[in-house]
Amino acid sequence: MKKLLFILLLLLSCSQAGGQLLWKVSGNGCYEESYLFGTLHLETSEFIDSVPGLASAIENVDVIFGELEGDDMLSMNTMLQMMKEATAPADSTLDKLLSPEDYKIVDDVIKKYMFGFGLKELGVLKPAVLTLYLEMMQMQKLYPKSLDPNNLIDVAIQKRGKQLGKRVEGLEGVEDQTSALFGIPLTEQAEDLVDFCRKDQEFADSSSQLRDAYRAQDLSAIEKIVFDPEMGMDEESMDRMSYNRNRKWMEKITQTLPVQRVLVAVGAAHLVGEQGLIELLRSRGYTVEPVSGR
């Protein structure tokens, strides 16, 4: 199984995306022009004003759809629910899933990033949760501002919209996200965690390259990083993490397009590929084209 790298960052196929992050949606009975924007979930709010047309899109739409509504993302109830879903069953903790050699490899890397905490303290968590924590710790080391929950781009877009009086909603609930993140068998999660720890520096280098490519709005470069044979996503993972969710989101998006101007701001993986939002909208008769101005 290919690795679940960059789950919180970006899962991307960009054969049709060119170099753009912001796309205009029109035609087929649209109320007026609407937009799709691909985010990098650990990017900071400052990036908004560097994307041509994004600030204007936020100002001119009526409703903003994110993956989750911002208040839900940061609420205590969400945190508690996520922690409940993050805990492994008592008979499937990492001391039971890993060999002694792999246990030590993972333990050493966790202690490196988590200030001395290791599997003794964190081994009750599901392997996918630990992989996500390690990814975030790598990003924090590379970009110290990237983990400020009040400064992330997805939250900031919604916050700016609310300040302008826009309606802001999530396309899914916390349960949907936890299912996508932690829904694979624990044995596969453990394999991914061990691989991540064995290739710690390689993944850190790729995270840095990914952030640079995103900031350059170079989706071709992102594609090469994310779909590297050693670190990419397989079809099953793309279905679970992106395409299945896209199909569910389309109902809410297409119901709103005829009556209000919409900005859909979600992880860039959801925009592209044969079952990405761009192609799903085109298949229903909408015109979807990159916003000019670069």
Side-chain angles (χ1 to χ4, degrees):
M1 177 182 178
K2 291 184 180 180
K3 311 306 177 290
L4 298 180
L5 176 61
F6 307 133
I7 290 175
L8 284 181
L9 308 181
L10 188 66
L11 313 172
L12 188 61
S13 169
C14 54
S15 58
Q16 301 176 40
Q20 294 292 105
L21 298 175
L22 182 65
W23 294 73
K24 181 174 67 175
V25 182
S26 60
N28 195 31
C30 272
Y31 176 67
E32 287 184 18
E33 292 177 352
S34 289
Y35 300 91
L36 303 174
F37 176 66
T39 69
L40 180 68
H41 294 321
L42 295 184
E43 182 56 80
T44 57
S45 61
E46 290 82 2
F47 188 70
I48 293 173
D49 294 315
S50 70
V51 179
L54 180 55
S56 176
I58 296 170
E59 183 175 350
N60 291 316
V61 298
D62 304 301
V63 56
I64 296 173
F65 288 141
E67 294 180 31
L68 291 177
E69 195 274 324
D71 290 340
D72 287 341
M73 281 189 272
L74 301 176
S75 74
M76 181 59 67
N77 285 339
T78 295
M79 300 302 176
L80 291 174
Q81 185 172 347
M82 290 288 283
M83 286 307 301
K84 180 180 177 181
E85 295 294 330
T87 304
D91 61 352
S92 300
T93 52
L94 280 169
D95 59 334
K96 298 176 177 66
L97 292 173
L98 301 181
S99 69
E101 177 189 359
D102 288 343
Y103 187 96
K104 185 177 187 309
I105 290 170
V106 173
D107 187 52
D108 288 344
V109 174
I110 289 175
K111 287 177 178 176
K112 170 184 172 182
Y113 287 106
M114 297 191 179
F115 313 105
F117 287 93
L119 285 179
K120 180 180 179 181
E121 294 81 11
L122 302 174
V124 297
L125 298 177
K126 291 180 179 178
V129 177
L130 289 173
T131 303
L132 293 179
Y133 281 170
L134 290 172
E135 290 173 356
M136 289 190 290
M137 292 301 103
Q138 283 184 346
M139 288 295 290
Q140 186 176 43
K141 185 175 180 180
L142 292 166
Y143 306 101
K145 295 181 179 180
S146 65
L147 291 184
D148 179 356
N150 297 309
N151 194 41
L152 299 180
I153 189 168
D154 294 79
V155 176
I157 289 171
Q158 294 185 22
K159 186 175 181 180
R160 186 179 295 195
K162 287 181 178 180
Q163 290 171 343
L164 293 169
K166 314 300 179 182
R167 178 164 62 93
V168 174
E169 293 187 12
L171 289 167
E172 64 186 7
V174 177
E175 299 86 353
D176 301 300
Q177 288 221 333
T178 55
S179 176
L181 290 171
F182 311 135
I184 65 173
L186 291 173
T187 52
E188 294 184 18
Q189 293 184 29
E191 290 173 4
D192 290 332
L193 174 61
V194 172
D195 189 72
F196 184 92
C197 291
R198 286 182 182 275
K199 299 175 180 177
D200 172 37
Q201 188 56 52
E202 294 174 58
F203 280 112
D205 292 342
S206 290
S207 293
S208 180
Q209 293 166 14
L210 178 64
R211 178 89 178 295
D212 291 345
Y214 184 82
R215 287 214 152 195
Q217 301 184 53
D218 186 347
L219 300 190
S220 296
I222 294 170
E223 180 181 29
K224 292 178 181 178
I225 297 167
V226 176
F227 283 91
D228 182 277
E230 294 297 319
M231 300 182 182
M233 297 293 294
D234 60 19
E235 185 175 350
E236 178 185 351
S237 298
M238 281 299 295
D239 279 340
R240 179 171 53 82
M241 291 300 304
S242 183
Y243 297 150
N244 289 341
R245 295 160 71 197
N246 291 349
R247 290 188 286 269
K248 292 178 182 178
W249 296 349
M250 280 293 293
E251 180 178 357
K252 189 169 188 175
I253 294 170
T254 55
Q255 285 178 348
T256 310
L257 287 173
V259 294
Q260 288 185 302
R261 298 166 294 182
V262 178
L263 169 62
V264 178
V266 295
H270 298 287
L271 269 62
V272 293
E274 292 183 0
Q275 297 184 65
L277 294 177
I278 290 173
E279 287 306 311
L280 289 177
L281 286 166
R282 285 174 173 168
S283 71
R284 297 195 184 192
Y286 296 94
T287 298
V288 187
E289 54 193 347
V291 173
S292 60
R294 293 194 60 199

